[in-house]
């Protein structure tokens, strides 16, 4: 499997983006994503730590955390896991997003892309640490060891990276 350092280097090229995108239009999308990523104010690849997994009917959910500056400590992960475990599954379902593509996670003003996102706010007291909630109808799609992030246009955008695209 590619390391996050290898992936970060590859994402500076269109070919690197093609390697982690699925779908019919990945060639077009890869070029667009590469231009957006390389022009970002700051960017990177971080380890995505899964704090909780849930299943509801035919859908799978995961709550994870990542840092844009330093590796998360065991203490930080334990605190976040304890906080996240207090929430009912319906809150996880409400706050989840699909795993495909970049989306705005939080604005520079601290606003999440939807109001009432209590899970996402659980890391606000930790500098450069973010909680994410994602879902898919395929359990394997939630195997995302890394998250790609970029800052531009007044906010932090994230993109999940499925482990199936990280085979060297």
């Amino acid at each position: 499997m590619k390391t996050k350092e290898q992936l970060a280097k590859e994402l500076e090229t269109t070919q690197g983006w093609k390697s982690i995108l699925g779908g019919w239009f990945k060639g077009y999308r890869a070029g667009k994503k590469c231009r957006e990523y390389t022009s970002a104010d700051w960017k990177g690849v971080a380890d995505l730590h899964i704090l909780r997994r849930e299943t509801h009917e035919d859908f799978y959910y995961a709550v994870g955390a990542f840092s844009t500056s330093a590796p998360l400590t065991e203490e930080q992960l334990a605190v976040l896991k304890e906080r996240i475990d207090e929430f009912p599954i319906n809150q996880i379902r409400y706050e989840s997003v699909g795993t495909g593509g970049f989306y705005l996670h939080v604005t520079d003003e601290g606003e999440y892309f939807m109001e009432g996102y209590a899970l996402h706010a659980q890391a606000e007291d930790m500098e450069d640490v973010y909680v994410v909630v994602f879902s898919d109808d395929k359990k394997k799609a939630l195997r995302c060891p890394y998250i790609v992030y970029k800052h531009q246009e007044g906010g932090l955008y994230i993109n999940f990276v499925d482990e199936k695209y990280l085979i060297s």
Side-chain angles (χ1 to χ4, degrees), residues 80 83 112 119-127 129-131:
L80 288 171
R83 291 175 182 176
Y112 299 100
L119 289 160
H120 290 78
Q122 295 307 303
E124 287 182 343
D125 62 338
M126 299 179 188
E127 189 173 346
V129 176
Y130 301 91
V131 171

Side-chain angles (χ1 to χ4, degrees), residues 59 95-101 103 113 133-136 142 158 160:
F59 240 76
E95 294 190 35
S96 71
V97 296
T99 56
Y103 76 91
F113 68 96
V133 186
F134 55 111
S135 62
D136 204 288
L142 299 184
I158 60 174
F160 300 94

Side-chain angles (χ1 to χ4, degrees), residues 150-161:
K150 65 177 182 169
H151 181 273
Q152 66 187 142
E153 299 171 4
L156 179 68
Y157 291 78
I158 60 174
N159 193 109
F160 300 94
V161 182

Side-chain angles (χ1 to χ4, degrees), residues 16-33:
W17 280 98
K18 281 183 186 179
S19 75
I20 67 165
L21 295 174
W24 289 23
F25 299 106
K26 71 179 179 181
Y28 165 76
R29 290 182 17 236
K32 184 175 189 269
K33 284 186 179 288

